[in-house]
Structures are given as structure tokens and as C-alpha cells.
Amino acid sequence: MKKDFILPDIGEGIVECEIVDWLVAEGDTISEDQPVCDVMTDKALVQIPAVHNGVVSKLYYAKGDIAKVHAPLFEMQLAGTDNTAVATQPEAVAAPTAAASAGSEDFILPDIGEGIVECEIVDWLVSEGDDIVEDQPVCDVMTDKALVQIPAKYSGKVTKLYYAKGEIAKVHAPLFAMQHGGLASAPQAAAVTATAVPAKAACALQQKGDAVSANASAGTCSNGKALASPAVRRLARELSIDISKVPGSGDKGRVYKDDVRAFADGKIPATAGPASSGNVSAGNAANASSTTASATVTSGGSRSEPIKGIKAAMARQMVESVSTIPHFTYCEEIDLTELIALRAGLKDQYAKQGVKLTMMPFFIKALSLAINQFPIMNAKVNQDCTELTYFDDHNIGIAVDSKIGLLVPNIKGCQRKSIIDIANDLTRLTEQARDGRVSPADLKGGTISISNIGAIGGTVATPIINKPELAIVALGKVQTLPRFNAKGEVEARQLMQISWSGDHRVIDGGTIARFTNLWKQYLEQPSAMLVAMR
């Protein structure tokens, strides 16, 4: 008997979700509680398990489609019932595949973020005529939120690229065409194998000492953060493998399924990676030259270029913020001498545990502690300024100067986290943001922001509020300056200028001054911060 699996409630208020990845295929036999697919809501990534044993007969959605809660997700033949219809299913599935391999099939650009309808082609990682493998990166695209890498769904050959570098591609429209099929010829397979050798050599060079290098050649070299698709990560989990230790043979160390399987067998990965690095480089160079000619207008010693992607989004956001919010700025000086000494004493200890302990986690935690007594700083106002909404969670955003423009990822729930937890989150988000690959979930839901302009230079700034938040602070650089102590003696102190911008519709000068005094107290007297934690 065939039966539809109905997508259940997966969160309060959730009515739809995106199919991130199918973990089974039509014709697969599944068992109760086996994960069937990963879906993404606007809150979290959720794995959907099977509720019966049987055979999957039909998947109602493709990867990237939007599925509705309480609607059929897939169809299955229940175990122990008539499976005649299921027996013919593999033939039905095989027919389109055979037809596709005879010609080209369009790759449809999937949803790449909530509300995203178009993106800019930053770079093609393949060229027309290149052979590609499943999960191989095909291109980098830029939305107004992040840089996203688009992987191949199948192995085959690229027959047509529908956009040039720098052009705008539409979501749910064809991105490129490809012919299905593996890397057919021996010379092509040899070329793929050859690309793995430099990757392994580079991996070994990262180690120190002959003994460690021997381990690297045996496949135990660690990549740190692994670059891999959800399907590859799932395979690693199924094989109980730490994917960060798998040497990736793809571009920029990307890990493929063959790498994981070879690592599980104790072998150095021998395949995966782009089929022809020479073709890719030539194609990228050609695209780059043609795009430069079309996107840049040169005349009389001047140059014009369009404002797109993150920069365009920032321009719109800043104009709306200053146009609708009456900003006022409040500056203060903070003596960080004791805090700097405390951090210096803890830095090496936590570095051995893999924790990068900078000054910023202390600033963030102190800010969260001060918000407990001044909740107005962690609120938002509605469009016509008739209602205030206070947030329980302190989602503190950190402005990051990334290669694609200004990004402000936020650390969720800072009021519940220790300084070390915040330090780990900060390291992850900063690294992702600088690469332009921070997830949309980490960019949404911020309640107050910090801009560390002093890391580059400068002492005082007038930061623009990250609407709909109500306040933002800019940190100036730390300076060693003379100050009088309690005995009237001059001594060197480590000082920082900070600049707050507040929404003057709901935050007055007295409020932000008292709030800053409390925040300052926690930073100048770390023992007071420790006592305030609970």
C-alpha cells in the first residue's frame, strides 16, 4: 500500500520550509526513524525522519523547493504490503536519466536565502566543456547578504554557461546547462587523479617534523575548517569521521565524497577536485577579461563601476537609517589597563585549548550585563514610533570589514553565554564574514551592534544605527596616555574612546550616559563583571 508522508509541525509559527537536501532517493528502502531529508526554516536546520519502514516511491519536491507544513512531502510503499508498483519505479526513474544523458539539462539556480530573488555572478569556477563531479563548486554568486558557492548536483559535462562574470542571475532560472554522466575517458580520469597530488603535498607541508609529515601522507592531515557540501558532511557523520581531518582534493581544499570514503579506508584520496584546473583557469581569465571590458567604463583617467551586492544593500540600509532615525552621539573614555592585563594572563592558557581570546568577548559580555539593567537598549520601535518591542535575547552584532563589504553577523543569546562561549562564536562568525560566507541566519535577528573601527585606526566616530536596532557603539583604538592616579602621580594608562549613536526618539541622553557608566564599570573593573555574571 502506498502512503503519503505528511510534513509535520516543525516549529511554532512555521508554515513552510526549504528542502536543503534529500538523504534518500526514489526507490530507496528506508526504515523507521531513518533521516529522510534536511529542511531549513527561518529559524533552524531540521532533519525529518521516516515514521514507517518501506520503499520511497516518489519525492514531491526537488532540492531547493519550498515545502508546505501539513502537505505531502514524499510517497512510500509501506513494508509488508503489495510492492508491485514500487518494483517498476526504478525503470521509471531511469528513463529520464537516460534521456538527460543523451542531451543537456539546465541547472536551476535554487533559493539561496530568504527574500533573495537575484544574485551577481562573482566568478565561474568551471568553463564550458569542463567535466564536473557531484558537489564540485561551479560558481561563486553574491547576494545582498553574503557570498554563496553553488555546487553541482550531478557528475557530467558543462555544455553552456548562461551568464558572464558580473552579470545578474535570477533565482529559479537556468544558471548553466550540463550533460549527465561521469568522467568517461581515461585521460580525463588521469587528469582528476593528478589534481589530488598537489593537494596532498600541500597538506603534508603544513605539518612540522618527519613523523607528522608521515601521518599527513597517510591521510591524517587536518584542514581546520572543512569546505564541504551537506551531503558530504552527512556521509562523514555516517562513517563517524571528523570531516575537518579529511584532506580535501578539490579547489581550495574542498572535501568530496570520494575523499571521505578514501579517508575511511585509510587511503590518501585519489580522485575528486576540478577535472581540469588548466581549463578552469583559462575560462576564469577569459571571463574576467570580458567582464572588465563590459562592466568598467574608462575615459579620461576616470573609471566607473556599478554598486552591487553587499555594497548596494549597505547603501540602501544606511540611507534609510539616517533618513528615518534621529541619531545622537555620546562619547566616553574607558580605562582598559586592568582588563588588558587580565586578558594577557589568560590568552596563552586558552590558546592551548583552541580558544582565541581577544578583547572583544569581554566588551560583548559586559554589554550584555549592562543591558540587563537597561532593557531599552535592546529593543526596537515600530515604523510609526507608537510601540516598543523589548527582546529577551541579547543578539549582539559585530561589524566586520569583509572582502565583499560590511557585514554585521550577530552572536545569539549573549546573556546565557560565558566569555569563552562568546569568544568561540566570535571567531567562527568573523572568519566566515571575512570570507563573505556567513549564513543568513547569523545576519538576522540582531538587537544591538558594536563596530570596532579602532582595529584599523581612529579614536572617535559617529556610527550609523543598524535599523531596526536602537543603538550602536564604535570602539576607537587603544592608546597609552598619561593620567593622574589617586595619589596625584602621573602614570601610563591604556585608554579607549568609545562613541555611541542612539535613536533619540526613544533613548535620551541621560539613559545612554547611565548605561555607558555601567558598561564602563564592568570593563574598568573586571571583578565587578565577574560578580555580575550568573
Side-chain angles (χ1 to χ4, degrees):
M1 179 181 70
K2 289 184 177 180
K3 182 179 179 67
D4 281 341
F5 175 93
I6 306 300
L7 182 61
D9 289 322
I10 48 179
E12 183 179 359
I14 303 298
V15 297
E16 63 182 18
C17 59
E18 177 187 348
I19 305 295
V20 175
D21 197 14
W22 282 105
L23 310 182
V24 299
E26 293 180 359
D28 283 359
T29 300
I30 58 175
S31 57
E32 184 179 357
D33 293 328
Q34 177 181 337
V36 174
C37 68
D38 289 331
V39 301
M40 176 75 77
T41 72
D42 59 357
K43 297 180 179 179
L45 185 68
V46 181
Q47 200 165 69
I48 306 298
V51 295
H52 304 289
N53 298 332
V55 176
V56 177
S57 53
K58 185 174 180 60
L59 304 178
Y60 289 123
Y61 299 94
K63 182 178 175 181
D65 285 351
I66 302 300
K68 301 292 184 182
V69 171
H70 299 155
L73 183 64
F74 64 92
E75 179 189 71
M76 66 180 294
Q77 178 84 34
L78 299 183
T81 62
D82 180 22
N83 60 1
T84 304
V86 179
T88 62
Q89 186 66 31
E91 297 178 6
V93 174
T97 305
S101 61
S104 292
E105 177 182 314
D106 284 340
F107 174 94
I108 305 301
L109 182 61
D111 288 322
I112 48 179
E114 183 180 359
I116 303 298
V117 297
E118 62 183 18
C119 59
E120 176 189 349
I121 305 296
V122 175
D123 198 10
W124 282 106
L125 309 180
V126 299
S127 301
E128 292 181 0
D130 281 359
D131 288 305
I132 57 175
V133 295
E134 181 185 358
D135 294 324
Q136 177 181 334
V138 174
C139 68
D140 288 331
V141 301
M142 185 188 295
T143 71
D144 60 359
K145 297 180 179 179
L147 187 68
V148 180
Q149 199 165 69
I150 306 297
K153 281 180 161 183
Y154 313 104
S155 298
K157 176 176 288 191
V158 177
T159 57
K160 185 173 179 60
L161 304 178
Y162 288 120
Y163 300 93
K165 181 178 175 182
E167 290 186 343
I168 303 300
K170 301 291 184 181
V171 171
H172 299 155
L175 183 65
F176 64 93
M178 66 175 290
Q179 188 174 38
H180 283 258
L183 301 177
S185 67
Q188 291 167 347
V192 176
T193 305
T195 62
V197 176
K200 290 181 286 185
C203 183
L205 287 174
Q206 293 173 0
Q207 310 296 337
K208 294 181 181 179
D210 294 340
V212 183
S213 295
N215 288 338
S217 64
T220 58
C221 174
S222 174
N223 291 348
K225 289 194 311 171
L227 182 62
S229 70
V232 175
R233 294 179 183 279
R234 183 182 74 251
L235 177 62
R237 290 195 301 270
E238 291 171 353
L239 298 176
S240 300
I241 290 173
D242 182 354
I243 196 169
S244 67
K245 296 181 180 179
V246 179
S249 59
D251 185 36
K252 299 179 182 178
R254 189 176 185 88
V255 179
Y256 297 116
K257 289 181 178 179
D258 287 343
D259 297 331
V260 174
R261 294 188 184 101
F263 186 83
D265 294 336
K267 303 173 183 177
I268 293 292
T271 58
S276 174
S277 57
N279 287 345
V280 174
S281 300
N284 288 344
N287 285 339
S289 61
S290 63
T291 304
T292 304
S294 60
T296 304
V297 180
T298 305
S299 176
S302 65
R303 182 171 63 89
S304 300
E305 62 181 25
I307 299 176
K308 298 183 290 187
I310 295 291
K311 293 181 180 179
M314 182 182 70
R316 293 191 297 268
Q317 178 80 353
M318 294 300 99
V319 168
E320 183 178 4
S321 179
V322 297
S323 301
T324 59
I325 299 176
H327 286 55
F328 78 100
T329 301
Y330 177 86
C331 300
E332 180 58 282
E333 179 180 271
I334 300 180
D335 188 339
L336 298 176
T337 306
E338 290 186 25
L339 184 60
I340 289 173
L342 174 64
R343 180 250 177 184
L346 298 173
K347 178 183 176 182
D348 291 341
Q349 173 188 340
Y350 282 101
K352 295 176 182 177
Q353 303 174 27
V355 179
K356 186 178 180 181
L357 189 61
T358 64
M359 294 291 291
M360 186 60 73
F362 295 97
F363 280 96
I364 294 171
K365 188 60 184 180
L367 190 65
S368 178
L369 292 172
I371 287 172
N372 288 331
Q373 297 188 36
F374 292 86
I376 186 65
M377 301 296 292
N378 198 62
K380 75 172 183 178
V381 67
N382 64 350
Q383 191 67 28
D384 56 359
C385 200
T386 58
E387 181 180 85
L388 267 172
T389 300
Y390 295 86
F391 298 106
D392 294 332
D393 280 345
H394 305 165
N395 300 340
I396 300 178
I398 309 299
V400 180
D401 183 24
S402 79
K403 66 181 183 180
I404 60 172
L406 182 66
L407 295 174
V408 191
N410 61 84
I411 300 174
K412 303 290 196 293
C414 291
Q415 78 280 5
R416 297 187 298 270
K417 295 182 176 178
S418 69
I419 290 175
I420 301 305
D421 293 334
I422 292 172
N424 289 330
D425 283 350
L426 180 64
T427 299
R428 174 181 64 85
L429 290 175
T430 301
E431 290 176 353
Q432 291 177 353
R434 283 176 179 160
D435 289 339
R437 300 186 187 281
V438 64
S439 72
D442 288 325
L443 292 168
K444 294 190 299 183
T447 55
I448 191 169
S449 296
I450 299 177
S451 175
N452 188 14
I453 191 66
I456 301 174
T459 55
V460 178
T462 53
I464 305 299
I465 296 170
N466 188 21
K467 190 178 179 179
E469 298 169 14
L470 298 183
I472 183 173
V473 63
L475 309 180
K477 66 181 179 182
V478 178
Q479 302 178 87
T480 302
L481 297 171
R483 290 294 184 268
F484 289 103
N485 61 21
K487 299 179 182 179
E489 302 166 338
V490 176
E491 61 182 18
R493 306 295 290 181
Q494 303 293 307
L495 304 174
M496 173 185 281
Q497 303 294 325
I498 58 99
S499 309
W500 279 100
S501 285
D503 187 336
H504 217 339
R505 294 175 298 176
V506 290
I507 299 177
D508 56 50
T511 298
I512 208 165
R514 286 185 286 271
F515 171 78
T516 302
N517 287 340
L518 180 58
W519 185 45
K520 175 180 177 179
Q521 178 187 356
Y522 290 143
L523 294 173
E524 292 188 339
Q525 304 171 28
S527 57
M529 187 192 315
L530 178 64
V531 171
M533 293 183 192
R534 56 180 183 271

